[in-house]
Amino acid sequence: MSFFKSPVDTAKIVSSIGGTKSSANVLNVILLSFLAGAYIAFGGLLAEVANAGMLAAGCPLGLSKFVFGAVFPVGLMLVVLAGSELFTGNVMYMVMGVLDGKASVGGLCKNWVLSWVFNFVGALFVAYVLAYMSGIATDPVIAAGATKVAAAKVGLSWDVALIRGIGCNWLVCLAVYLALASDDIIGKIFGIWFPIMAFVTIGFEHSVANMFFIPLGMFLGADGVNWATALGNIIPVTIGNIIGAAIFVGCIYYITYLKDAS
C-alpha cells in the first residue's frame, strides 16, 4: 500500500487544482485569500515571538535564524490543510493549469490579483489588530526584533529582493507539491515543514510574509520603514516569487510530467 503519490500524479493534481481555482467564485476567493494572508501572518508573529529571546540573549545568527524558520511553517500548514488562497502557491497552480489546458489566462489573472490583494488585507489585519493593538508586539524585546526584521527587509536592493524571492517561492511551491503528494496529515506536515524551514532559515523573501513583517515594523516605529519602502520590497519580491514558482516548478514540471500526456 502506497501512502504517497508519484511526482507525475502530483503534477496532474496541481493542474486540476489550477482549473478549479480558475473558475472559482470571486467572493470565495476573496474570503479564502484573506484567510491565507492571516495564516501566514500567524506564522510570522509566532516566529517574531520565538526569536525575540534568541536575539536578546545574543544567540549565534544561524541558530536564531533556525528558530525563526522552525516555527514559521505553521502558516503554510494552515493554508494547505485548512484550505485558503495563497498567492505564492497559486502561481504554481495557475501556471500548470494554464499550460495543461485546465485553466484560462483570464482565470489566472483573476486569481493572482485577488489573492495578492486580499492576502495583503489578511496580513495587515493580523499585524495591526492581533499583533500591534493586542500589545503582543509592543513588548520591548519582541518589538526590537520585529523592527530589526522590517528594517533589514526594506534595506535590500531591488535586485537582491527579486533574487531572494525566486529562491523562496521555488521552495514554497515544492512544500505545497510535497504536501499534495502525501495521503496523510503527518506526511503533509513534514512535506511542508522542511522546505519552509529551509527558505526562512536561508533568508529568502516571501511576498505575503513581508506583507506582515514590514507593516508590523512600521507600526512599531522602525527607522526607514514606511509604505514606500515597504512596496519597494514587496513588489520585487512578488516578481521573484512569480519567477520561482512559474519557471522552476510550474513550467519544468509541466514539460517533464504533463506535456507529452496532454
Side-chain angles (χ1 to χ4, degrees), residues 130-218:
L130 300 183
Y132 180 72
M133 288 185 63
S134 70
I136 292 171
T138 58
D139 175 276
V141 176
I142 296 172
T147 53
K148 182 177 180 180
V149 167
K153 288 182 178 296
V154 301
L156 298 175
S157 64
W158 180 284
D159 58 331
V160 168
L162 186 147
I163 291 169
R164 292 190 184 188
I166 293 173
C168 165
N169 215 25
W170 190 346
L171 285 169
V172 169
C173 288
L174 287 175
V176 174
Y177 203 90
L178 293 181
L180 291 173
S182 176
D183 291 329
D184 63 84
I185 294 293
I186 297 301
K188 291 179 184 294
I189 288 173
F190 272 91
I192 292 168
W193 188 84
F194 282 97
I196 301 303
M197 175 277 294
F199 104 70
V200 177
T201 303
I202 289 168
F204 290 147
E205 295 284 313
H206 189 273
S207 56
V208 180
N210 289 359
M211 293 171 184
F212 166 79
F213 288 127
I214 298 175
L216 179 60
M218 181 173 61

Side-chain angles (χ1 to χ4, degrees), residues 197-255:
M197 175 277 294
F199 104 70
V200 177
T201 303
I202 289 168
F204 290 147
E205 295 284 313
H206 189 273
S207 56
V208 180
N210 289 359
M211 293 171 184
F212 166 79
F213 288 127
I214 298 175
L216 179 60
M218 181 173 61
F219 300 147
L220 294 169
D223 291 338
V225 182
N226 52 52
W227 287 116
T229 57
L231 291 175
N233 169 278
I234 293 170
I235 291 174
V237 170
T238 297
I239 296 170
N241 287 169
I242 291 172
I243 294 170
I247 295 177
F248 294 102
V249 183
C251 287
I252 290 179
Y253 280 171
Y254 166 74
I255 292 169

Side-chain angles (χ1 to χ4, degrees), residues 24-201:
N25 177 275
V26 170
L27 178 60
N28 288 350
V29 176
I30 289 172
L31 293 174
L32 291 173
S33 297
F34 172 85
L35 290 181
Y39 293 163
I40 295 299
F42 285 147
L45 180 56
L46 175 61
E48 297 273 32
V49 172
N51 192 46
M54 303 290 290
L55 294 174
C59 289
L61 180 62
L63 182 58
S64 66
K65 281 180 170 287
F66 175 73
V67 169
F68 201 100
V71 300
F72 180 81
V74 68
L76 191 67
M77 291 174 192
L78 293 173
V79 166
V80 173
L81 300 180
S84 57
E85 293 281 345
L86 182 64
F87 169 77
T88 47
N90 284 353
V91 175
M92 173 188 69
Y93 285 127
M94 301 309 300
V95 166
M96 290 185 72
V98 168
L99 291 175
D100 199 35
K102 300 290 195 305
S104 67
V105 173
L108 177 150
C109 294
K110 176 189 72 174
N111 180 275
W112 283 11
V113 170
L114 289 177
S115 60
W116 192 93
V117 170
F118 287 95
N119 283 175
F120 209 156
V121 174
L124 282 175
F125 175 80
V126 174
Y128 187 73
V129 177
L130 300 183
Y132 180 72
M133 288 185 63
S134 70
I136 292 171
T138 58
D139 175 276
V141 176
I142 296 172
T147 53
K148 182 177 180 180
V149 167
K153 288 182 178 296
V154 301
L156 298 175
S157 64
W158 180 284
D159 58 331
V160 168
L162 186 147
I163 291 169
R164 292 190 184 188
I166 293 173
C168 165
N169 215 25
W170 190 346
L171 285 169
V172 169
C173 288
L174 287 175
V176 174
Y177 203 90
L178 293 181
L180 291 173
S182 176
D183 291 329
D184 63 84
I185 294 293
I186 297 301
K188 291 179 184 294
I189 288 173
F190 272 91
I192 292 168
W193 188 84
F194 282 97
I196 301 303
M197 175 277 294
F199 104 70
V200 177
T201 303

